[in-house]
């Protein structure tokens, strides 16, 4: 009888390190580098999954699309460092306002989105108003003479299994966002999504 013993500690450690590196790559691929919240790619993936869930189970889904009003002025007058601080603060506020099941993401530039599964229009508007007020409350000290403040315009779109054009809920939220911009900014507007007959 021959007994052979091998120490595989190094191999196991290498495998664990490899798994950790792969997990980190996945996290980085789904995370916005500046704000630390999800990026557009992850948001679109989850939106697609949630739309399919609405279609199968007959639930509801809301999307909030929002961007910062006159944000270019912040960058022009206060510099990009202040602009980056504002974007990070908006991401933090988004994370505070959302529920655990909601997805917050930076879509690009100063545009953000919240994916609200199982949420009707009333609940989505309530969340949007809390978010709008919280963003308006952000104040970063830029200089001794003035603080940097921002507001946001928010578009809300809610769909259910009977909604026409279910797949284009983000486009509907975008149209509602432009309505909010044209209504004077620092506002919440809802998309009018008709139901199929």
């Amino acid at each position: 009888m021959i007994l052979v013993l091998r120490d595989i500690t190094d191999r196991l450690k290498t495998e664990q390190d490899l798994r950790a590196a792969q997990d980190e790559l996945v996290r980085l691929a789904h995370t916005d580098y500046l704000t630390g919240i999800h990026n557009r790619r992850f948001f679109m993936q989850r939106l697609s999954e949630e739309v399919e869930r609405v279609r199968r189970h007959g639930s509801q889904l809301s999307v909030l699309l929002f961007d910062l009003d006159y944000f270019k002025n912040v960058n022009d007058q206060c510099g990009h460092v202040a602009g980056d601080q504002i974007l990070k603060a908006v991401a933090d506020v988004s994370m505070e306002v959302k529920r655990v099941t909601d997805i917050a993401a930076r879509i690009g530039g100063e545009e953000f989105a919240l994916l609200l599964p199982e949420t009707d229009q009333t609940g989505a508007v309530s969340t949007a108003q809390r978010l709008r007020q919280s963003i308006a409350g952000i104040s970063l000290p830029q200089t001794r003479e003035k603080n940097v403040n921002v507001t946001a315009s928010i578009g809300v779109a809610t769909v259910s299994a009977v909604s026409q054009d279910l797949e284009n809920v983000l486009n509907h939220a975008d149209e509602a966002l432009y309505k909010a911009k044209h209504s004077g900014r620092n506002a919440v507007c809802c998309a009018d999504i008709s139901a199929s007959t």
Side-chain angles (χ1 to χ4, degrees):
M1 178 181 279
I2 298 175
L3 180 62
V4 178
L5 298 175
R6 288 197 181 114
D7 185 359
I8 60 168
T9 305
D10 290 339
R11 190 177 95 203
L12 289 175
K13 173 81 171 96
T14 302
E15 288 174 0
Q16 288 174 341
D17 291 346
L18 180 60
R19 266 190 242 104
Q22 289 171 332
D23 291 345
E24 180 64 8
L25 284 174
V26 168
R27 187 191 68 77
L28 290 173
H30 293 159
T31 304
D32 176 63
Y33 71 96
L34 177 65
T35 61
I37 63 175
H38 294 298
N39 62 15
R40 182 182 189 94
R41 176 187 306 182
F42 183 81
F43 182 85
M44 296 305 288
Q45 176 185 332
R46 285 301 307 274
L47 177 60
S48 177
E49 292 167 2
E50 289 299 327
V51 163
E52 187 56 34
R53 196 158 69 90
V54 166
R55 183 177 285 112
R56 285 183 177 195
H57 302 292
S59 56
Q60 291 186 316
L61 164 71
S62 292
V63 172
L64 308 184
L65 192 61
F66 57 102
D67 87 16
L68 304 181
D69 301 324
Y70 305 111
F71 186 70
K72 184 178 183 316
N73 294 343
V74 173
N75 281 331
D76 291 347
Q77 295 172 8
C78 304
H80 290 281
V81 171
D84 287 352
Q85 290 174 333
I86 290 286
L87 293 174
K88 289 176 189 175
V90 169
D92 292 343
V93 163
S94 300
M95 293 300 288
E96 291 168 10
V97 168
K98 78 174 196 68
R99 302 168 303 183
V100 173
T101 56
D102 300 338
I103 300 295
R106 180 176 175 211
I107 300 300
E110 70 273 10
E111 192 170 57
F112 293 81
L114 278 180
L115 175 60
L116 309 173
E118 302 288 338
T119 305
D120 62 12
Q121 185 172 333
T122 302
V125 169
S126 176
T127 300
Q129 290 292 3
R130 282 195 329 272
L131 180 63
R132 184 188 61 77
Q133 292 166 355
S134 296
I135 290 171
I138 294 171
S139 179
L140 296 179
Q142 174 62 18
T143 66
R144 290 187 177 156
E145 294 82 29
K146 66 177 181 176
N147 287 343
V148 178
N149 297 91
V150 292
T151 59
S153 298
I154 304 174
V156 178
T158 302
V159 292
S160 67
V162 297
S163 300
Q164 291 180 358
D165 211 16
L166 178 61
E167 297 80 13
N168 289 315
V169 63
L170 189 61
N171 292 340
H172 293 298
D174 193 42
E175 291 167 8
L177 169 61
Y178 278 98
K179 282 196 316 194
K181 291 281 188 191
H182 293 304
S183 72
R185 301 182 191 260
N186 192 22
V188 174
C189 287
C190 294
D192 180 21
I193 303 173
S194 59
S196 61
T197 55

